[in-house]
């Protein structure tokens, strides 16, 4: 394993790489609340707002020019399947947070997406090397149905914490609730504790 392989992060949370109640699949199923949104690289914008020194806006070209990493990660869906060894390429969450200058009183992050999906996480669960804004999968552009052009991946959480078609993040001084979190899914979503519902 090298430092771009984060598949051993499970050791922080449990004994087994495959979380309890999950089965491994080699497929990559698509789960979306609604259809795959269209996007235009000329008008696409990504915004960083809220409790930051400087609110940021990126065009597609600007976002693609940010420093990026390629990581091998596992992917755990709350509906019970896990896919091992996904290779994602993208921008680390802390990279963006540093550029914006997150205020000391920020505690939570709300991700928003082009299909009006939202999801939320405590800031400390986002400030990790393996939380990526990914535009590449297995050496190719991220497929549109898996969230292309840009999605979040959260290998330490169930995958509903990773917004596909993400186009904005807001740093919040109070906890907030995303689309599935308002509908009964777990706020914390730790797969090794089987935190599926709240
Ligand atoms: N924008 C957006 N992101 C989303 C969703 C969605 O409906 N819209 N579904 C979530 C859920 S419930 C899961 S399990 C994963 C599925 O990702 P996949 O379709 O690439 O397998 O995306 C998550 N991110
Ligand atoms: Mo899901």
């Amino acid at each position: 394993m090298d430092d771009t392989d984060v598949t051993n992060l499970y050791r922080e949370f449990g004994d087994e790489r495959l979380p309890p109640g999950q089965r491994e699949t080699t497929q990559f199923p698509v789960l979306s609340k609604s259809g795959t949104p269209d996007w235009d690289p000329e008008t696409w914008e990504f915004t960083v707002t809220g409790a930051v020194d400087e609110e940021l806006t990126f065009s597609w070209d600007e976002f693609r020019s940010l420093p990026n990493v390629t990581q091998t990660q596992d992917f755990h869906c709350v509906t019970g399947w896990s896919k091992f060894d996904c290779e994602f390429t993208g921008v680390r969450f802390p990279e963006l947070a540093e550029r914006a200058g997150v205020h000391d009183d920020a505690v939570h992050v709300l991700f928003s997406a082009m299909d009006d999906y939202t999801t939320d996480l405590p800031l400390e669960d986002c400030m990790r090397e393996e939380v990526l804004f990914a535009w590449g999968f297995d050496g190719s552009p991220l497929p549109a149905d898996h969230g292309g052009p840009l999605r979040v991946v959260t290998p330490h959480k169930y995958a509903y914490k990773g917004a596909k078609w993400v186009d904005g993040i807001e740093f919040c001084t109070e906890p907030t609730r995303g689309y599935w979190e308002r509908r009964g899914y777990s706020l914390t979503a730790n797969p090794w504790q089987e935190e599926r519902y709240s």
Side-chain angles (χ1 to χ4, degrees), residues 36-37 39 114 134 142-151 164-165:
T36 297
W39 76 291
M114 294 158 61
L142 180 69
D145 52 357
H146 287 298
L150 190 71
R151 79 170 302 161
K164 305 197 283 188
W165 313 297

Side-chain angles (χ1 to χ4, degrees), residues 51-182:
V52 292
D53 293 338
E54 198 188 352
E55 297 199 327
L56 304 175
T57 304
F58 297 92
S59 69
W60 177 243
D61 287 342
E62 287 166 347
F63 200 94
R64 281 292 271 96
S65 311
L66 291 170
N68 57 80
V69 293
T70 296
Q71 286 182 1
T72 305
Q73 312 192 336
D74 296 342
F75 191 98
H76 308 294
C77 177
V78 71
T79 60
W81 54 269
S82 292
K83 181 176 171 58
F84 287 166
D85 297 322
C86 304
E87 192 190 281
F88 287 108
T89 301
V91 179
R92 293 174 309 111
F93 187 98
E95 172 82 39
L96 271 193
E98 281 155 26
R99 277 164 197 262
V102 180
H103 291 174
D104 288 344
D105 60 351
V107 292
H108 215 82
V109 179
L110 183 69
F111 299 85
S112 48
M114 294 158 61
D115 62 343
D116 294 328
Y117 187 80
T118 53
T119 187
D120 68 273
L121 274 176
L123 178 59
E124 64 180 321
D125 286 328
C126 298
M127 289 294 279
R128 297 176 57 109
E129 298 297 299
E130 71 274 9
V131 177
L132 302 181
F133 296 91
W135 40 256
F137 176 71
D138 280 355
S140 298
L142 180 69
D145 52 357
H146 287 298
L150 190 71
R151 79 170 302 161
V152 179
V153 285
T154 55
H156 60 322
K157 299 291 181 185
Y158 288 122
Y160 64 89
K161 292 295 183 180
K164 305 197 283 188
W165 313 297
V166 66
D167 64 357
I169 56 171
E170 180 184 354
F171 290 89
C172 308
T173 54
E174 285 171 18
T176 173
R177 298 293 169 250
Y179 180 86
W180 282 120
E181 291 83 1
R182 286 197 298 267

